[in-house]
Structure formats: structure tokens, C-alpha cells
Amino acid sequence: MKIQPYFDKLEGSKEYKDFSKKHPDAFMVAGFFVLDLEMKKNIHQIDYYLPKEKKVAAFTLDDKVILQLLEVMDASRIPEKLDAETEIDLDALEGILEDEMKNRGMSEDIKKIIAVLQVQGGKKVWNLNCVLSGMEILKAHVEDKSKTVLKMEKVSLGEIMQQVPGGAKAMAGSAGKEGQANEGDVKKELEKLNKLEEQIEKEKEKLKKSVKKK
């Protein structure tokens, strides 16, 4: 799965050409990708920053090109400009993560990768959040040029569920005598979350905010 064809598809689309004429000062700031390694229902999105409006133009590139204007989390911050040249392709992310996981003694399988590509301190960085087979979330930062894993940590699904409206209640309702959530119920909750497009958008904004703070 290569990333360049998506940039080519965007630049060749009528939506982008009309947009660039209307907003000649806009510049690319991020790539947002959801790679579902099981269901193969992927999302590919490229974001442009509009300096005058202080908004983000998000181009979704799956099937037809769709443009959405989004509010930014912090209007006082100007994101760094991103170009289309990358050393890491989308299909290489899984292997890079798996190699580092093995080095750290992690044996889980990666089920889904949520990837945000941005320029951070002058360097292109992949901010990755992955759903693992062990019902945990893997968070990692990978520098694009060197393909080096800068940071990696696992977060329990319980912590994630606590941050989702209704998540804590759902887990509490399915808890056993010792207060532990039933794994089957938790999986059902995760499947529901994966189907909600608005939750993906919230996760995207959360990731962008996290990267900007680094």
C-alpha cells in the first residue's frame, strides 16, 4: 500500500483544483490514515491548513474525493508544512512496529493502525495508535527519514474506554464479581466504536493535539 498514489489522486481531482484556486495560500500539514488489517476497510485523508480562516481542509480519498472544513483545536498554533515525499510507505508501518514490538518482548498481533503523518520540530513523524489482539492500544512515534521508533508504549483498553462517553458504564455493567469486564462484552464495545465515524474524527483531533504539544 503506497502513499504517493493518494497524493496523485488528490492533486488530479476537480475538488482539489477548485480548492487550490479558492485558497492559494493553503498548504499541506498532515496525512491521516486508518489501516484495518483485518477488515481491510481503510481510510486515507490528507489535510491542508487555511491560514486566513485558521481551519483545516480535510480531503478523504477513498472512492471519490470528499472535502470537509474542520475547526482546529488551537487556533493560535500554526502547523508545520508537510510535503509529499516520504521514506516510509503505508505498507511498511506494520513491519516497523512488529520489529520494535519483538525487541521489547511484545507478542500481540496488530489489528488496526491509526496513523497521523506530520512535521514535528522540522522532522516528519508518524504518530501511530494501534489496536492489538490483546485488547490493548499500542502508541508509537516513528521518524520518517531514519525509520526509527522514537517512542512506544501500550495502554489498556480500559483506559481508552474510560475516555469514551458511555464506555465506563458499559464496562461496569459487564463486570463480574471481581469487578473485571467480560472480554466478549469489551470486544463488542470495541466493534461498535470502530463503526462510528464520528469517533474516528474525535481520535484524529486528539492525535493532532498530542503531536502539536510535543
Side-chain angles (χ1 to χ4, degrees):
M1 188 187 305
K2 305 298 182 182
I3 192 172
Q4 187 60 46
Y6 292 99
F7 289 116
D8 295 339
K9 179 178 181 178
L10 173 62
E11 293 178 356
S13 68
K14 180 180 183 300
E15 290 80 2
Y16 174 76
K17 292 177 180 178
D18 291 343
F19 167 81
S20 60
K21 289 179 181 178
K22 186 176 180 180
H23 303 282
D25 58 339
F27 55 91
M28 183 165 56
V29 293
F32 173 71
F33 311 97
V34 177
L35 310 178
D36 191 327
L37 305 180
E38 287 189 311
M39 304 301 293
K40 306 301 180 183
K41 294 181 179 179
N42 303 324
I43 296 174
H44 305 84
Q45 181 175 298
I46 297 174
D47 296 350
Y48 280 73
Y49 182 69
L50 283 64
K52 293 180 181 179
E53 294 85 349
K54 296 187 182 300
K55 292 184 178 182
V56 169
F59 290 90
T60 304
L61 305 172
D62 301 286
D63 296 325
K64 61 181 180 179
V65 177
I66 299 175
L67 169 61
Q68 299 180 74
L69 289 181
L70 307 174
E71 299 292 336
V72 297
M73 297 295 292
D74 185 352
S76 65
R77 290 178 177 270
I78 299 177
E80 296 183 61
K81 187 176 181 179
L82 174 71
D83 61 61
E85 298 296 325
T86 62
E87 296 296 328
I88 299 176
D89 264 320
L90 293 173
D91 55 4
L93 290 173
E94 182 182 6
I96 292 173
L97 290 170
E98 287 179 338
D99 287 345
E100 186 64 23
M101 288 174 68
K102 290 179 181 178
N103 292 337
R104 298 179 182 231
M106 301 179 188
S107 58
E108 296 88 349
D109 294 326
I110 300 174
K111 300 298 183 181
K112 179 179 292 187
I113 300 174
I114 300 173
V116 177
L117 174 64
Q118 289 182 311
V119 175
Q120 183 179 331
K123 298 180 179 180
K124 291 177 188 172
V125 176
W126 292 87
N127 188 319
L128 309 171
N129 279 245
C130 312
V131 179
L132 303 179
S133 57
M135 303 307 295
E136 292 178 304
I137 302 298
L138 179 73
K139 296 187 175 186
H141 290 176
V142 179
E143 183 183 2
D144 182 71
K145 185 176 181 179
S146 65
K147 303 182 182 180
T148 302
V149 177
L150 305 175
K151 174 184 177 182
M152 178 175 281
E153 63 176 340
K154 284 195 297 185
V155 180
S156 70
L157 179 61
E159 293 179 57
I160 300 297
M161 293 291 286
Q162 292 290 339
Q163 300 174 16
V164 178
K169 183 178 180 181
M171 290 187 70
S174 62
K177 293 182 179 180
E178 297 181 359
Q180 298 297 320
N182 177 275
E183 183 175 341
D185 290 338
V186 173
K187 286 183 178 179
K188 289 180 181 179
E189 289 299 319
L190 182 59
E191 290 172 359
K192 290 178 182 179
L193 292 177
N194 289 339
K195 294 178 182 179
L196 296 176
E197 292 185 359
E198 59 266 30
Q199 186 58 40
I200 293 177
E201 288 299 323
K202 289 179 182 179
E203 181 68 14
K204 173 192 168 185
E205 292 300 325
K206 179 181 176 182
L207 291 173
K208 285 184 178 180
K209 184 177 180 181
S210 175
V211 171
K212 289 176 183 177
K213 286 183 177 180
K214 300 296 181 182

